[in-house]
Every structure is written in C-alpha cells, then in structure tokens.
Amino acid sequence: MRLDKLLSNMGFGSRKDVKALVKSKAVRVNDTIVKDSGAKVDPENDVIMVGENVVEYKPYIYLMMHKPPGVISATDDRHDKTVIDLLEPEFQHYKPFPVGRLDKDTEGLLLITNDGQLAHQLLSPKKDVGKTYYAKIAGHVTEEDVQAFASGVSLEDGYITKPASLKILSAGSQSEIEVTITEGKFHQVKRMFEAVGKKVVYLKRLSMGKLELDQTLKIGTYRELNEEELSYCKSIK
Ligand code: URA
C-alpha cells in the first residue's frame, strides 16, 4: 500500500501532512529515509518509523466500551454525544462504529470496531448470539413471565419474539432480573416487559455470547479486546 495512505490511516494527518513529514526526513522505511510519500510499502514486513517510533500498522481495532447512559450508540449525532466521541483520536481515525445499538439510557457492554464483516456476523440472527442484560423492573416479575419469555412474547406490533431466558434475581414492587435474548429488535427488552405489563427502569448489557463486560472497566471507559476475546469474536465468523 502507499506510505502516505498508511501513515494517514495511522493518524499522521492528511496525505499533505504526510508529504510534509516525509520532506522533513522524519520517515524511514527499513532504516532508509524516504523521499517519496507515495512510495509503496508492505505493512506486514517493512519496518516503518516516524522519528524514533516504529509505526505498528493494524487495519482493524476492536474495543470493549462500558457505555454510560446519556450517549448515543451511533457514529455521529446532531444533538447528543455519541460513543465515538468518547474515544481518543488515535482510535477515532480508524472510523469505528458500534456493533449494534444500545438505547441512550442503557449502559454496559458495547463492542466498537471498524471490522464490518465481524460486526455483521455478531449481529446476524442466524448466529443466535445471546445478549444478556441485567435490569430493574417496576413491578413484580413472576414465574408466569419466565414462562412467557421462554415461549416468546407478542410485542405491541404483533411480532412474536424468539424464546428468551429470564432469570428472577429478586422480586418485589421493584424486581431485578437477568434476561438473555438472541435478537436485537428496537427496544427489545423494554418492549418484552411492556408486553407482560411491566416497565424497565434500568438496563445494562452484561455480555454478548462469551464476550463479557470487564467488571474493572469504569463506566464511560473502554479498552482493546484481549487475544482471547478477539479470537472468540472471530470464531463466530
Ligand atoms: N433492549 C432494549 O430495550 N434496549 C437496549 O438498549 C437493548 C436491548
């Protein structure tokens, strides 16, 4: 690939900026100062340096975010902050996007990547990737609700959901539950509880398949997936 494209993708500014960097003799490939910013390089094998730093080229990034409430799961929004706004510029220049959506008021696990193929596989209904949520519910969640979720509930638009596994953690005038769904319909968990006459007052995603929210990840922060998590995500392909 072209050196200027690579460096630009890696956050060294526009192609014009890279040209200036090359002109200043700051860029070396395999220990030779580069004269042409359009030179062809092999990102896998060439050692590319800017100043004293080796540029590690990676085409994709995979981030786990602990999404806070109040931000939108989108790449841009006219009114609200998005999850992408929470990323450092070194990650933003990969042009990542969230894998699926969490509502503005929902917290928890959100995968952010620029790997479209992986995102597609994780979201494909055919792959049946279970998404587990913790929720607080206004109302007394009962065994009947557990049965109804297990059979699939009829949403207000007539759609019958796939079977979902509902676990009651505590029941009372406000209940705490965990629910696992394999679909990702708009507001699905909230609408499933509405279908049984109850309201979700707090919702947090805990996991997507075997990818679990890192409990040490503070709300509003993110980190790159570790190797085990990444190989799990790739195994879904
Ligand atoms: N279901 C919802 O209702 N909201 C979410 O954000 C995710 C699942």
Side-chain angles (χ1 to χ4, degrees), residues 101-107 133 181 185-191 200 203 205:
R101 279 172 177 258
L102 289 179
D103 296 337
K104 185 175 173 183
D105 59 353
T106 302
E107 300 175 11
Y133 296 84
I181 58 175
K185 303 274 173 226
F186 187 58
H187 295 331
Q188 179 151 349
V189 173
K190 292 173 184 165
R191 288 162 72 209
V200 172
L203 189 60
R205 182 156 63 194

mmCIF file of all heavy atoms in Angstrom, residues 101-107 133 181 185-191 200 203 205, ligand 1:
data_model
loop_
_atom_site.group_PDB
_atom_site.id
_atom_site.type_symbol
_atom_site.label_atom_id
_atom_site.label_comp_id
_atom_site.label_asym_id
_atom_site.label_seq_id
_atom_site.Cartn_x
_atom_site.Cartn_y
_atom_site.Cartn_z
ATOM 1 N N ARG A 101 -26.914 -1.563 18.603
ATOM 2 C CA ARG A 101 -27.251 -0.350 19.350
ATOM 3 C C ARG A 101 -27.681 -0.659 20.760
ATOM 4 O O ARG A 101 -28.370 -1.652 20.993
ATOM 5 C CB ARG A 101 -28.422 0.359 18.667
ATOM 6 C CG ARG A 101 -27.990 1.179 17.501
ATOM 7 C CD ARG A 101 -29.188 1.694 16.746
ATOM 8 N NE ARG A 101 -28.679 2.550 15.676
ATOM 9 C CZ ARG A 101 -28.684 3.871 15.714
ATOM 10 N NH1 ARG A 101 -29.217 4.512 16.730
ATOM 11 N NH2 ARG A 101 -28.188 4.582 14.717
ATOM 12 N N LEU A 102 -27.282 0.210 21.667
ATOM 13 C CA LEU A 102 -27.911 0.235 22.987
ATOM 14 C C LEU A 102 -28.666 1.554 23.042
ATOM 15 O O LEU A 102 -28.194 2.564 22.486
ATOM 16 C CB LEU A 102 -26.848 0.197 24.092
ATOM 17 C CG LEU A 102 -26.085 -1.126 24.278
ATOM 18 C CD1 LEU A 102 -25.050 -0.988 25.383
ATOM 19 C CD2 LEU A 102 -27.035 -2.276 24.600
ATOM 20 N N ASP A 103 -29.808 1.571 23.715
ATOM 21 C CA ASP A 103 -30.564 2.822 23.838
ATOM 22 C C ASP A 103 -29.728 3.870 24.561
ATOM 23 O O ASP A 103 -28.796 3.529 25.296
ATOM 24 C CB ASP A 103 -31.851 2.592 24.638
ATOM 25 C CG ASP A 103 -32.801 1.646 23.920
ATOM 26 O OD1 ASP A 103 -32.697 1.524 22.689
ATOM 27 O OD2 ASP A 103 -33.631 1.031 24.615
ATOM 28 N N LYS A 104 -30.126 5.120 24.401
ATOM 29 C CA LYS A 104 -29.398 6.218 25.046
ATOM 30 C C LYS A 104 -29.271 5.990 26.559
ATOM 31 O O LYS A 104 -28.223 6.241 27.160
ATOM 32 C CB LYS A 104 -30.124 7.537 24.750
ATOM 33 C CG LYS A 104 -29.416 8.759 25.248
ATOM 34 C CD LYS A 104 -30.147 10.016 24.799
ATOM 35 C CE LYS A 104 -29.541 11.246 25.445
ATOM 36 N NZ LYS A 104 -30.257 12.477 25.089
ATOM 37 N N ASP A 105 -30.342 5.487 27.179
ATOM 38 C CA ASP A 105 -30.298 5.321 28.639
ATOM 39 C C ASP A 105 -29.754 3.960 29.077
ATOM 40 O O ASP A 105 -29.660 3.687 30.273
ATOM 41 C CB ASP A 105 -31.690 5.564 29.257
ATOM 42 C CG ASP A 105 -32.754 4.615 28.720
ATOM 43 O OD1 ASP A 105 -32.454 3.850 27.778
ATOM 44 O OD2 ASP A 105 -33.882 4.636 29.225
ATOM 45 N N THR A 106 -29.403 3.084 28.133
ATOM 46 C CA THR A 106 -28.872 1.761 28.501
ATOM 47 C C THR A 106 -27.358 1.854 28.707
ATOM 48 O O THR A 106 -26.670 2.576 28.003
ATOM 49 C CB THR A 106 -29.195 0.723 27.398
ATOM 50 O OG1 THR A 106 -30.599 0.667 27.222
ATOM 51 C CG2 THR A 106 -28.688 -0.658 27.763
ATOM 52 N N GLU A 107 -26.898 1.084 29.690
ATOM 53 C CA GLU A 107 -25.460 1.048 29.993
ATOM 54 C C GLU A 107 -24.903 -0.321 29.591
ATOM 55 O O GLU A 107 -25.636 -1.215 29.246
ATOM 56 C CB GLU A 107 -25.251 1.197 31.510
ATOM 57 C CG GLU A 107 -25.791 2.476 32.063
ATOM 58 C CD GLU A 107 -25.682 2.537 33.592
ATOM 59 O OE1 GLU A 107 -25.009 1.684 34.197
ATOM 60 O OE2 GLU A 107 -26.300 3.446 34.162
ATOM 61 N N TYR A 133 -28.719 -9.204 29.610
ATOM 62 C CA TYR A 133 -28.925 -7.897 30.247
ATOM 63 C C TYR A 133 -29.303 -8.092 31.705
ATOM 64 O O TYR A 133 -30.011 -9.044 32.056
ATOM 65 C CB TYR A 133 -30.065 -7.139 29.560
ATOM 66 C CG TYR A 133 -29.790 -6.793 28.118
ATOM 67 C CD1 TYR A 133 -30.020 -7.719 27.102
ATOM 68 C CD2 TYR A 133 -29.308 -5.535 27.769
ATOM 69 C CE1 TYR A 133 -29.762 -7.406 25.782
ATOM 70 C CE2 TYR A 133 -29.050 -5.212 26.447
ATOM 71 C CZ TYR A 133 -29.278 -6.150 25.459
ATOM 72 O OH TYR A 133 -29.016 -5.828 24.150
ATOM 73 N N ILE A 181 -31.466 -12.624 25.322
ATOM 74 C CA ILE A 181 -32.216 -12.645 24.057
ATOM 75 C C ILE A 181 -31.226 -12.910 22.918
ATOM 76 O O ILE A 181 -30.037 -12.621 23.057
ATOM 77 C CB ILE A 181 -32.973 -11.312 23.798
ATOM 78 C CG1 ILE A 181 -32.008 -10.114 23.785
ATOM 79 C CG2 ILE A 181 -34.066 -11.100 24.817
ATOM 80 C CD1 ILE A 181 -32.683 -8.786 23.409
ATOM 81 N N LYS A 185 -34.101 -6.564 18.216
ATOM 82 C CA LYS A 185 -35.140 -5.637 17.733
ATOM 83 C C LYS A 185 -35.060 -4.338 18.536
ATOM 84 O O LYS A 185 -34.641 -4.340 19.695
ATOM 85 C CB LYS A 185 -36.543 -6.236 17.922
ATOM 86 C CG LYS A 185 -36.735 -7.561 17.235
ATOM 87 C CD LYS A 185 -37.147 -7.387 15.802
ATOM 88 C CE LYS A 185 -37.160 -8.719 15.090
ATOM 89 N NZ LYS A 185 -36.526 -8.715 13.780
ATOM 90 N N PHE A 186 -35.531 -3.283 17.902
ATOM 91 C CA PHE A 186 -35.539 -1.958 18.528
ATOM 92 C C PHE A 186 -36.195 -2.024 19.908
ATOM 93 O O PHE A 186 -37.316 -2.531 20.039
ATOM 94 C CB PHE A 186 -36.303 -1.030 17.582
ATOM 95 C CG PHE A 186 -36.284 0.418 17.961
ATOM 96 C CD1 PHE A 186 -35.091 1.104 18.089
ATOM 97 C CD2 PHE A 186 -37.476 1.093 18.179
ATOM 98 C CE1 PHE A 186 -35.075 2.442 18.427
ATOM 99 C CE2 PHE A 186 -37.476 2.437 18.510
ATOM 100 C CZ PHE A 186 -36.270 3.102 18.639
ATOM 101 N N HIS A 187 -35.518 -1.530 20.936
ATOM 102 C CA HIS A 187 -36.034 -1.511 22.316
ATOM 103 C C HIS A 187 -36.554 -2.883 22.774
ATOM 104 O O HIS A 187 -37.545 -2.973 23.500
ATOM 105 C CB HIS A 187 -37.210 -0.523 22.451
ATOM 106 C CG HIS A 187 -36.863 0.914 22.222
ATOM 107 N ND1 HIS A 187 -35.626 1.449 22.484
ATOM 108 C CD2 HIS A 187 -37.615 1.931 21.752
ATOM 109 C CE1 HIS A 187 -35.634 2.730 22.174
ATOM 110 N NE2 HIS A 187 -36.808 3.054 21.718
ATOM 111 N N GLN A 188 -35.888 -3.945 22.315
ATOM 112 C CA GLN A 188 -36.497 -5.262 22.511
ATOM 113 C C GLN A 188 -36.805 -5.627 23.970
ATOM 114 O O GLN A 188 -37.911 -6.078 24.274
ATOM 115 C CB GLN A 188 -35.616 -6.358 21.903
ATOM 116 C CG GLN A 188 -36.242 -7.730 22.134
ATOM 117 C CD GLN A 188 -35.913 -8.726 21.077
ATOM 118 O OE1 GLN A 188 -35.373 -8.383 20.038
ATOM 119 N NE2 GLN A 188 -36.257 -9.971 21.334
ATOM 120 N N VAL A 189 -35.835 -5.432 24.859
ATOM 121 C CA VAL A 189 -36.073 -5.863 26.249
ATOM 122 C C VAL A 189 -37.203 -5.023 26.863
ATOM 123 O O VAL A 189 -38.121 -5.555 27.502
ATOM 124 C CB VAL A 189 -34.772 -5.758 27.089
ATOM 125 C CG1 VAL A 189 -35.046 -6.047 28.552
ATOM 126 C CG2 VAL A 189 -33.711 -6.714 26.543
ATOM 127 N N LYS A 190 -37.156 -3.721 26.605
ATOM 128 C CA LYS A 190 -38.207 -2.853 27.164
ATOM 129 C C LYS A 190 -39.579 -3.257 26.630
ATOM 130 O O LYS A 190 -40.565 -3.311 27.376
ATOM 131 C CB LYS A 190 -37.918 -1.394 26.810
ATOM 132 C CG LYS A 190 -36.688 -0.856 27.519
ATOM 133 C CD LYS A 190 -36.336 0.532 27.025
ATOM 134 C CE LYS A 190 -35.045 1.023 27.666
ATOM 135 N NZ LYS A 190 -34.484 2.182 26.991
ATOM 136 N N ARG A 191 -39.641 -3.571 25.349
ATOM 137 C CA ARG A 191 -40.936 -3.933 24.751
ATOM 138 C C ARG A 191 -41.407 -5.304 25.225
ATOM 139 O O ARG A 191 -42.607 -5.543 25.356
ATOM 140 C CB ARG A 191 -40.839 -3.883 23.228
ATOM 141 C CG ARG A 191 -40.745 -2.443 22.723
ATOM 142 C CD ARG A 191 -40.216 -2.381 21.314
ATOM 143 N NE ARG A 191 -41.159 -2.854 20.350
ATOM 144 C CZ ARG A 191 -40.798 -3.419 19.174
ATOM 145 N NH1 ARG A 191 -39.531 -3.576 18.874
ATOM 146 N NH2 ARG A 191 -41.720 -3.820 18.327
ATOM 147 N N VAL A 200 -39.284 -1.445 32.285
ATOM 148 C CA VAL A 200 -37.845 -1.481 32.598
ATOM 149 C C VAL A 200 -37.437 -0.091 33.084
ATOM 150 O O VAL A 200 -37.679 0.904 32.397
ATOM 151 C CB VAL A 200 -37.027 -1.847 31.333
ATOM 152 C CG1 VAL A 200 -35.527 -1.705 31.601
ATOM 153 C CG2 VAL A 200 -37.354 -3.259 30.861
ATOM 154 N N LEU A 203 -31.380 -0.591 32.636
ATOM 155 C CA LEU A 203 -30.958 -1.685 31.760
ATOM 156 C C LEU A 203 -29.464 -1.599 31.497
ATOM 157 O O LEU A 203 -28.938 -0.526 31.169
ATOM 158 C CB LEU A 203 -31.739 -1.591 30.431
ATOM 159 C CG LEU A 203 -31.605 -2.762 29.457
ATOM 160 C CD1 LEU A 203 -32.098 -4.068 30.079
ATOM 161 C CD2 LEU A 203 -32.407 -2.476 28.172
ATOM 162 N N ARG A 205 -26.265 -4.005 29.638
ATOM 163 C CA ARG A 205 -25.867 -5.236 28.944
ATOM 164 C C ARG A 205 -24.618 -5.800 29.601
ATOM 165 O O ARG A 205 -23.636 -5.074 29.801
ATOM 166 C CB ARG A 205 -25.627 -4.996 27.463
ATOM 167 C CG ARG A 205 -25.274 -6.305 26.756
ATOM 168 C CD ARG A 205 -25.566 -6.317 25.287
ATOM 169 N NE ARG A 205 -24.783 -5.339 24.577
ATOM 170 C CZ ARG A 205 -25.033 -4.957 23.336
ATOM 171 N NH1 ARG A 205 -26.083 -5.442 22.691
ATOM 172 N NH2 ARG A 205 -24.277 -4.072 22.740
HETATM 173 N N1 URA B 1 -33.274 -3.760 24.663
HETATM 174 C C1 URA B 1 -33.706 -2.509 24.938
HETATM 175 O O1 URA B 1 -34.892 -2.299 25.170
HETATM 176 N N2 URA B 1 -32.817 -1.518 24.946
HETATM 177 C C2 URA B 1 -31.500 -1.697 24.720
HETATM 178 O O2 URA B 1 -30.726 -0.747 24.762
HETATM 179 C C3 URA B 1 -31.057 -3.003 24.443
HETATM 180 C C4 URA B 1 -31.975 -4.020 24.417
#
